[in-house]
Amino acid sequence: MPLSHDEITRFLKSVHPYDSLPHDVVDDLAKQIEVREVGENDSVYELGHTLPGVFVIYEGQVEITDENGAVVSHLGLRNSFGERGLLKDGKAATHARANAPTVLIVLPPDLVKDLIDGHDVVSKFFDRTRGTRSGPQSLATSAIDVLMARDPATCPPGTPVDEAARIMRDRHISSLCVTEGDKLLGIATLRDISGKFVAEEMPKDTTVSAIMTADPITLSPTDIGSDVLHVMMERGIGHIPISEAGKLVGIVTQTDLTHYQAVNSAELVRRIAQADTAEQMAKVTTEIPQLLVQLVAGGNRHEIVTRLITDIADTVTRRLLTLAEDKLGPPPAPYLWLACGSQGRQEQTGVSDQDNCLMLDDSVTEADMDYFANLAKFVSDGLDTCGYFYCPGDMMATNTRWCQPVRVWRDYFQGWIAKPNPEAQMLASVMFDLRPIGGAFDLFTDLHTDTLAAANANSIFVAHMIANSLKHTPPLGLLRGFATIRSGEHRNTLDLKHNGVVPVVDLARVYSLQGKLTEANTRARLKAAEAAGVLSHSGAHDLLDAYDLIAETRLEHQVRLVKSDDKPDNYLPPSDLSDFERSHLRDAFVVVKTMQSAVGHGKGMLG
């Protein structure tokens, strides 16, 4: 179908990033593009062919498949494709076929290059890597929405002062915002009460309107910490209401600033290490969500954030082991407490249960087992108290199956490798992420080395582990490129854990088996796989970029929930994302799907 210049221009203005370009640029762009019509089931391009440019779907549907024929994406109106191959070497990295009569707009390579070089919004759109974060920020450069307390306590102007004082006492706060409906009238502080109501012996029925600071200075959630500090110092005040669009949304006090500076992973670790009970530690771990917010808002990369949060879980575990020994007495035999799952990989976020086990020295006797059963219960119960909930699958040291001498663990791994049935695949997937936390670390060293060598030497086991790694797939589908959860509590959302990071975690585990790599962390495994030649340079970098984007999208989603006073989870509604974010996330999922297909066909060296 022929398209007029005006039709092309209107269409481009509805597609990101071209919708952000100046009108004259879009007008000129519309003159240079090519319109192609493709019949149903006809090829758009074949793998390895020279690409004529970047494609944008004006009408119809396109199916993208990889070199093995596996479908990696279904695309529709306004979706673009072909850019990864074009910007890499000009060759198609996939196959593309029309599923229906399709009209495509093609942006020639030189035009794409000029747009990238001349317009930041286009450059950012086609840069499929996650931008380098600026690094940790200080209180002065942090946004106020990270510093402020939300839903500040309020009272109407007619509230008696003595009642206002009781509210402050009962809620352990030092101020009340005086409001009438959504309108902020003033702020009353403890200093106002002592300096005016008490010192001036005002009548008992005095209301807060008589002592409050009327029309107080306010700041916006988008202002930064230095704005708070400057206003407080310049005006000699300790409380600043935060308003947005004329509505009170929070307050920042000197206490909030002190608390912000105190909430860092090192300080939490120090307090946990000095705690005498699980309940004392639990008071500290309740601050982890706020730490998550600060770390992400401070510009830290996802692997730093999850490492610091995991360090807290490790400290809790080791402190509980010490307290258990204080209560139960010295252990009758050397032991090692290990973590698996996200703690084992040092990838904990704001949502974590516990996955752990105990390895005991082979000198342990049957009579000693009660001691270790009690130790496991003490530590596991303490972890649960601290918010690391019991594992639904009972992968914990409290399960006698996972509290055994090293010789039994050796038999476990040998059995799983020799007969990789579905249960063995599942258990091996979990246990290959083991990381020592506390106790005699040497109990694990030889077992770990021998197990990796045996697993690598058994091609049947590796093949089964590859098949197991493909059970979790990226959520690619027709609706805006995503396949959301269809029913239940999380309907119409993306599971950024099981369909987001887990597919990459599973791939990295396979690469570590193929290369006999000792790393447990996913990112470290991918880098080691590249260094060992298990992954090509380009394949490793594509997968790392995709993983970084998915993992950081997950953390940013959890931060949004924490800032809204909701519990963090892994279920992201695609509607929460901009078109730009959806496009990049979809491309990341396509990379993961392509790498899954490659490893499934024995091509881990995909470039």
Side-chain angles (χ1 to χ4, degrees):
M1 60 181 290
L3 297 176
S4 69
H5 178 81
D6 286 345
E7 286 176 319
I8 295 171
T9 301
R10 283 198 301 271
F11 176 72
L12 290 174
K13 287 182 177 179
S14 72
V15 179
H16 192 76
Y18 316 108
D19 58 348
S20 301
L21 296 174
H23 175 77
D24 61 326
V25 174
V26 176
D27 185 67
D28 185 58
L29 176 61
K31 298 174 183 176
Q32 302 181 61
I33 61 95
E34 174 191 351
V35 178
R36 287 193 180 189
E37 296 185 50
V38 185
E40 184 175 4
N41 294 321
D42 287 348
S43 172
V44 178
Y45 59 70
E46 298 295 327
L47 178 75
H49 285 191
T50 299
L51 289 163
V54 170
F55 297 85
V56 184
I57 300 175
Y58 182 89
E59 182 180 285
Q61 295 179 358
V62 173
E63 179 182 83
I64 307 296
T65 56
D66 66 15
E67 63 176 331
N68 302 304
V71 176
V72 295
S73 190
H74 289 101
L75 306 177
L77 177 66
R78 296 188 180 88
N79 285 153
S80 64
F81 60 99
E83 59 266 30
R84 189 159 70 95
L86 181 71
L87 298 176
K88 182 179 179 183
D89 57 11
K91 306 291 186 181
T94 56
H95 303 270
R97 179 178 61 86
N99 279 349
T102 297
V103 178
L104 300 171
I105 285 179
V106 186
L107 285 70
D110 288 345
L111 178 58
V112 173
K113 182 178 185 302
D114 289 344
L115 288 170
I116 290 174
D117 291 342
H119 302 277
D120 288 343
V121 65
V122 181
S123 175
K124 183 179 178 184
F125 179 80
F126 285 115
D127 179 7
R128 288 337 202 191
T129 64
R130 198 64 162 175
T132 302
R133 288 179 175 265
S134 59
Q137 297 176 348
S138 67
L139 184 151
T141 57
S142 295
I144 284 180
D145 69 346
V146 177
L147 305 173
M148 72 183 189
R150 297 174 187 277
D151 299 321
T154 63
C155 70
T159 304
V161 173
D162 57 356
E163 181 180 338
R166 285 192 293 271
I167 293 173
M168 292 187 212
R169 179 200 64 192
D170 294 344
R171 297 186 62 171
H172 305 289
I173 55 178
S174 56
S175 67
L176 284 174
C177 291
V178 183
T179 58
E180 199 163 56
D182 286 338
K183 184 178 181 182
L184 176 66
L185 302 179
I187 184 169
T189 67
L190 288 176
R191 188 166 69 175
D192 292 325
I193 294 175
S194 62
K196 298 176 183 177
F197 179 71
V198 176
E200 297 177 12
E201 298 182 348
M202 298 175 75
K204 183 174 175 57
D205 60 355
T206 299
T207 62
V208 291
S209 61
I211 66 165
M212 71 182 186
T213 299
D215 298 319
I217 184 171
T218 64
L219 292 174
S220 162
T222 58
D223 289 326
I224 60 177
S226 61
D227 296 318
V228 175
L229 294 170
H230 294 167
V231 171
M232 284 185 173
M233 288 187 285
E234 181 180 347
R235 296 177 178 249
I237 58 177
H239 306 75
I240 301 177
I242 309 301
S243 63
E244 187 172 35
K247 182 180 179 182
L248 180 69
V249 294
I251 189 168
V252 177
T253 69
Q254 290 177 334
T255 301
D256 294 323
L257 301 182
T258 302
H259 181 68
Y260 177 86
Q261 291 177 305
V263 178
N264 60 69
S265 60
E267 173 62 16
L268 299 191
V269 164
R270 183 192 66 79
R271 288 160 58 193
I272 289 167
Q274 295 176 351
D276 293 322
T277 65
E279 288 72 22
Q280 290 176 7
M281 286 184 258
K283 291 180 180 179
V284 181
T285 55
T286 58
E287 299 179 34
I288 289 177
Q290 181 59 33
L291 175 65
L292 173 67
V293 170
Q294 292 179 199
L295 289 173
V296 173
N300 294 280
R301 289 178 56 88
H302 73 92
E303 67 269 23
I304 301 299
V305 175
T306 55
R307 171 64 184 268
L308 293 175
I309 290 177
T310 304
D311 285 349
I312 295 169
D314 291 354
T315 305
V316 170
T317 304
R318 284 190 287 268
R319 184 58 182 157
L320 287 168
L321 287 169
T322 298
L323 294 176
E325 290 187 22
D326 289 345
K327 177 182 178 181
L328 301 172
Y335 71 87
L336 177 62
W337 185 281
L338 302 99
C340 43
S342 59
Q343 185 183 0
R345 296 188 305 272
Q346 295 179 300
E347 293 166 2
Q348 286 190 318
T349 66
V351 187
S352 294
D353 58 5
Q354 54 174 294
D355 300 280
N356 47 61
C357 64
L358 270 172
M359 289 186 181
L360 312 177
D361 187 82
D362 284 339
S363 65
V364 70
T365 66
E366 188 64 33
D368 298 330
M369 297 305 290
D370 279 348
Y371 176 94
F372 292 109
N374 290 330
L375 180 139
K377 185 176 186 328
F378 183 96
V379 175
S380 187
D381 288 350
L383 288 170
D384 182 70
T385 298
C386 292
Y388 304 101
F389 305 114
Y390 299 119
C391 173
D394 203 21
M395 299 288 288
M396 299 182 294
T398 50
N399 182 337
T400 55
R401 188 180 185 186
W402 311 127
C403 177
Q404 293 292 333
V406 172
R407 63 178 181 275
V408 175
W409 280 101
R410 192 175 292 275
D411 290 342
Y412 284 163
F413 281 106
Q414 289 175 351
W416 296 333
I417 293 170
K419 295 181 179 180
N421 58 42
E423 183 192 32
Q425 295 169 37
M426 181 274 292
L427 293 174
S429 294
V430 174
M431 295 304 179
F432 272 108
D433 292 349
L434 285 174
R435 182 172 61 89
I437 303 298
F441 280 40
D442 60 314
L443 293 178
F444 183 62
T445 306
D446 289 344
L447 173 62
H448 190 211
T449 302
D450 295 346
T451 299
L452 282 175
N456 174 267
N458 189 318
S459 59
I460 295 176
F461 174 74
V462 173
H464 279 281
M465 290 298 291
I466 289 173
N468 186 70
S469 75
L470 305 180
K471 291 180 179 178
H472 293 101
T473 57
L476 291 166
L478 291 174
L479 180 61
R480 292 183 178 177
F482 295 128
T484 57
I485 297 172
R486 295 183 178 180
S487 61
E489 178 185 359
H490 304 296
R491 184 172 176 267
N492 295 329
T493 66
L494 302 173
D495 185 342
L496 290 180
K497 178 181 178 182
H498 293 103
N499 300 117
V501 296
V502 167
V504 186
V505 168
D506 289 344
L507 281 173
R509 187 182 300 113
V510 167
Y511 300 145
S512 74
L513 290 177
Q514 292 175 328
K516 294 188 286 186
L517 309 174
T518 57
E519 289 81 1
N521 176 266
T522 297
R523 228 177 171 282
R525 280 172 166 171
L526 295 177
K527 287 186 172 182
E530 178 190 3
V534 177
L535 270 178
S536 69
H537 173 78
S538 61
H541 281 243
D542 281 350
L543 192 52
L544 280 165
D545 286 342
Y547 177 57
D548 287 346
L549 192 145
I550 296 166
E552 289 183 4
T553 299
R554 179 190 182 200
L555 285 183
E556 287 162 1
H557 165 67
Q558 293 187 2
V559 164
R560 282 194 296 270
L561 292 175
V562 173
K563 289 165 70 172
S564 300
D565 293 327
D566 294 319
K567 288 185 177 180
D569 63 29
N570 296 299
Y571 302 100
L572 171 69
S575 57
D576 285 359
L577 301 174
S578 67
D579 287 345
F580 172 82
E581 291 168 328
R582 279 195 294 269
S583 175
H584 277 240
L585 185 60
R586 176 179 62 81
D587 285 351
F589 288 147
V590 168
V591 169
V592 177
K593 183 70 177 287
T594 302
M595 297 300 287
Q596 284 186 323
S597 177
V599 78
H601 287 80
K603 300 174 183 176
M605 283 292 294
L606 181 73

